[in-house]
Amino acid sequence: MVQSHISTLKQLFQQEFSKMVAVISNLFGLQHIEIAEDIVSETFLAATESWAKKGIPENPAAWLYVVAKQKTLYHFRRNKIYEKKVIPELSLRQDNVAQPGEPDFSLGNIRDSQLQMMFAVCNPAIASEAQMGLALRILCGFGIEEIAAAFLTGKETINKRLFRAKEKLRSEKISMEMPPENELTGRLDNVLHIIYLLFNEGYYSRTQDRILRKELCVEAMRLGFMLCEDVRTNLPKTNALLALMCFHASRFDARLTNEESPVLYEDQDELLWDQELINRGLHFLELSASGEEISSYHLEARIAYWHCIKEDTPDKWQEILQLYNQLLCINYSPGAALNRTFALYKADGKKVALAEAEKLGLEGNHFFHLLLGELYDGMDNRKALANLRKAYDLAQNQDEKLVIEKKIALIV
Amino acid sequence: MKDFALIFRQPSYDYSNASPQEMQDLTKKWQDWIGSIAAQGKLKGNPVRLVQEGKVLKAGGVVTDGPFVEIRERLGSLIIVKAADLDEATTLAHGCPALDANGSVEIRQVFS
């Protein structure tokens, strides 16, 4: 009981953190983002103390907004600096504010502020790793400890990264506003890319913490949904990215039923696939099919869709192969090259795929040797074994080594 | 790494009578071949694909419509690949579906 109480509070704070920081930052300007963070943290502290005594109020979010409003106003009046620094800016920025220094926690302003914050944080001026950290902190309300765990690094490192990222916000004079219309799709690409990276960080995470991994995926999807709710950012590629995330996320539980190690695709129980999410993915996939642009998200979403159909048919693999062909033309990656070759094997057989695999030039990549091991199996067992052993030596973790060991045992 | 243009030419062919299956097979051949180059990380930019119909302007302001019956091999399309030298670029050109249709691939380095 106590545990669930804490987890809901944690969820509430996490959700409200990003909203409140966005709204207050919008008021003070992005260069004072730390003040917004401090005010929100103080508000949570006040909530925890008050609610422990009096119980959780009926509308906890409204309670938080009232207190945050008071604290903001107090902060505003107490510090003479703001009269000099912020008020001149304010008069330029918001002339419709009822009272100077009063944050507007209306639904519309929360949404606008969050969207503007997304574009500010996902500004190409900030280095990508810092950007992910800043996104997790400011857009998703993650604690420093959680961010450190997600990146398998120390709190100190994350603090430094966030500090540098915020410095960058200031030095680059990044402001909270929607990019002008002619820059919007280009800037949206950055936002989508960060969401994509956040999702992948959760889905293919290096960390073993399952709850954290799932939360990363859920947060990435939440940010994607937010973009779909605004007509300016609800573009076909946004829908395509959401479709991609829905399809992948549908297999989240099936992949991780085993506590020890990820469950391989072939061994997954498709009854554990989340049909609801697959349907949502299909909905977004349909929405994405308009306009001229075929983004890599479109192609990856369609590949992910095919993987939601467990049954192997020649058509399935031909389609997947063609999608990888297209994907590689716009966006080469070693992973896509390996997957393309695997699809070629499934579609046209081992011989064709082997000839192609040998051209990839990915020696030293353990998935490459794993693929060669699989392709040579039954064609040239000596080479199959040599490649599997190489893959074993190169594999990064115990789970992967275990899978390779099993394959070796089957050939020997 | 240098950039090379692979320029495909093949005899004019009337595809209007080709069966859907034939067209599908042909598309697959091209996509697999280009996909193979892309999978080696050696494709630069997107392939330039040309529509069948077009016009030819000649000296004296003479304009002719396609199909270019007088041209034995019409320009089909072109791609840019990355390769260490002309030999490697030529190796990449092997397997090009234009060759199956009695066409040719011209390999030319692009000025950098």
Side-chain angles (χ1 to χ4, degrees):
Chain A
M1 205 49 204
V2 174
Q3 201 58 39
S4 77
H5 166 79
I6 288 170
S7 102
T8 45
L9 265 196
K10 185 179 172 288
Q11 274 171 4
L12 175 78
F13 287 173
Q14 194 174 319
Q15 270 173 27
E16 296 304 325
F17 181 89
S18 64
K19 292 182 190 170
M20 288 158 66
V21 167
V23 167
I24 300 172
S25 295
N26 210 347
L27 185 70
F28 283 161
L30 205 52
Q31 65 269 39
H32 304 296
I33 189 167
E34 281 98 348
I35 298 171
E37 285 183 83
D38 286 346
I39 290 174
V40 174
S41 299
E42 283 169 27
T43 304
F44 289 157
L45 201 65
T48 317
E49 281 171 9
S50 163
W51 297 355
K53 280 183 228 142
K54 298 178 195 163
I56 299 178
E58 211 161 292
N59 187 343
W63 191 100
L64 292 173
Y65 297 159
V66 169
V67 173
K69 214 178 252 187
Q70 285 164 358
K71 287 192 183 294
T72 309
L73 277 168
Y74 178 71
H75 204 98
F76 206 74
R77 289 180 192 133
R78 190 186 50 185
N79 291 289
K80 288 254 189 286
I81 307 164
Y82 296 115
E83 284 170 30
K84 286 183 205 142
K85 264 192 169 173
V86 180
I87 290 175
E89 277 172 44
L90 272 180
S91 54
L92 294 174
R93 294 162 53 85
Q94 330 206 326
D95 26 40
N96 53 349
V97 171
Q99 199 179 351
E102 186 175 307
D104 168 12
F105 285 113
S106 65
L107 199 61
N109 193 48
I110 288 177
R111 270 196 197 156
D112 282 351
S113 302
Q114 279 189 295
L115 209 55
Q116 289 167 4
M117 189 60 105
M118 254 203 251
F119 277 92
V121 166
C122 303
N123 190 298
I126 309 169
S128 161
E129 235 178 358
Q131 221 160 28
M132 301 243 295
L134 199 61
L136 284 176
R137 176 72 190 140
I138 302 298
L139 302 177
C140 310
F142 275 40
I144 305 296
E145 222 160 298
E146 288 168 304
I147 302 174
F151 290 112
L152 287 189
T153 178
K155 280 164 73 175
E156 202 48 30
T157 314
I158 295 299
N159 271 324
K160 273 187 202 150
R161 247 183 237 171
L162 290 179
F163 180 78
R164 275 199 297 270
K166 287 175 195 167
E167 277 300 311
K168 206 76 182 170
L169 287 177
R170 277 184 278 269
S171 65
E172 298 287 329
K173 300 201 168 48
I174 294 167
S175 59
M176 279 187 67
E177 58 193 2
M178 288 297 280
E181 206 170 320
N182 57 341
E183 285 174 27
L184 195 100
T185 54
R187 291 281 308 280
L188 181 62
D189 284 346
N190 280 299
V191 179
L192 295 179
H193 185 62
I194 293 295
I195 294 176
Y196 177 76
L197 291 179
L198 284 179
F199 185 87
N200 281 350
E201 195 62 41
Y203 202 68
Y204 304 103
S205 185
R206 292 160 289 179
T207 155
Q208 298 292 325
D209 186 339
R210 267 179 71 178
I211 296 165
L212 180 62
R213 295 180 56 174
K214 199 165 184 176
E215 216 170 304
L216 277 166
C217 291
V218 169
E219 280 299 314
M221 290 172 80
R222 189 182 61 80
L223 295 176
F225 285 127
M226 266 171 60
L227 291 175
C228 283
E229 278 168 7
D230 192 289
V231 65
R232 291 166 292 184
T233 49
N234 185 23
L235 301 184
K237 56 188 169 186
T238 313
N239 291 306
L241 175 59
L242 259 174
L244 166 64
M245 293 193 288
C246 288
F247 290 140
H248 276 319
S250 74
R251 290 197 299 279
F252 201 96
D253 288 329
R255 266 173 94 237
L256 293 173
T257 40
N258 187 330
E259 285 294 332
E260 310 279 298
S261 62
V263 182
L264 293 178
Y265 179 78
E266 301 101 79
D267 306 330
Q268 284 172 20
D269 178 0
E270 66 247 58
L271 292 177
L272 289 173
W273 293 356
D274 187 335
Q275 196 57 46
E276 169 71 33
L277 270 173
I278 294 177
N279 291 339
R280 283 188 101 169
L282 274 170
H283 167 73
F284 285 112
L285 192 64
E286 265 170 44
L287 289 177
S288 76
S290 68
E292 297 277 303
E293 188 185 9
I294 298 180
S295 64
S296 56
Y297 306 125
H298 281 91
L299 299 166
E300 285 190 57
R302 284 178 58 196
I303 292 167
Y305 165 68
W306 279 106
H307 285 307
C308 291
I309 301 168
K310 185 88 185 265
E311 196 193 348
D312 262 1
T313 60
D315 275 357
K316 167 179 166 177
W317 287 104
Q318 284 297 349
E319 286 282 335
I320 293 176
L321 170 62
Q322 294 316 327
L323 290 165
Y324 272 119
N325 281 338
Q326 283 175 274
L327 181 63
L328 283 160
C329 283
I330 55 173
N331 199 359
Y332 169 84
S333 69
L338 290 166
N339 283 330
R340 183 241 176 209
T341 314
F342 184 78
L344 187 65
Y345 149 51
K346 288 291 205 178
D348 295 343
K350 276 190 177 175
K351 225 174 132 199
V352 185
L354 248 181
E356 287 294 307
E358 291 288 11
K359 291 187 209 161
L360 294 179
L362 292 172
E363 284 76 13
N365 177 321
H366 88 269
F367 292 111
F368 172 67
H369 294 289
L370 201 57
L371 176 68
L372 278 181
E374 170 112 22
L375 293 175
Y376 274 120
D377 182 9
M379 310 267 287
D380 184 336
N381 282 357
R382 203 176 46 85
K383 280 190 178 169
L385 277 175
N387 274 293
L388 287 175
R389 291 202 174 108
K390 217 175 265 178
Y392 183 88
D393 290 339
L394 290 164
Q396 301 281 334
N397 64 49
Q398 220 42 50
D399 294 343
E400 286 166 352
K401 282 190 192 285
L402 219 69
V403 172
I404 300 168
E405 232 168 38
K406 277 185 199 154
K407 281 191 195 283
I408 291 177
L410 279 177
I411 296 178
V412 178
Chain B
M1 283 284 176
K2 298 173 192 131
D3 291 350
F4 293 86
L6 305 191
I7 303 155
F8 321 123
R9 288 192 178 82
Q10 58 187 86
S12 291
Y13 182 79
D14 183 8
Y15 289 104
S16 58
N17 290 324
S19 70
Q21 187 59 46
E22 258 177 275
M23 289 309 289
Q24 205 184 324
D25 291 348
L26 193 65
T27 310
K28 174 175 161 58
K29 259 195 209 170
W30 277 101
Q31 291 201 338
D32 284 352
W33 179 68
I34 289 175
S36 161
I37 293 172
Q40 299 170 54
K42 289 177 179 164
L43 184 73
K44 190 172 175 180
N46 263 321
V48 176
R49 294 173 61 196
L50 302 177
V51 189
Q52 288 260 346
E53 298 77 26
K55 286 180 189 294
V56 177
L57 173 64
K58 289 178 175 169
V62 181
V63 178
T64 56
D65 287 332
F68 312 91
V69 276
E70 72 273 35
I71 306 173
R72 200 186 74 78
E73 287 191 337
R74 73 151 74 217
L75 181 62
S77 53
L78 66 96
I79 63 172
I80 309 285
V81 299
K82 292 180 274 190
D85 51 32
L86 189 59
D87 283 346
E88 196 198 334
T90 311
T91 307
L92 288 174
H94 280 281
C96 172
L99 301 169
D100 300 344
N102 262 324
S104 66
V105 184
E106 188 172 324
I107 302 114
R108 303 274 291 273
Q109 192 185 332
V110 179
F111 277 122
S112 50

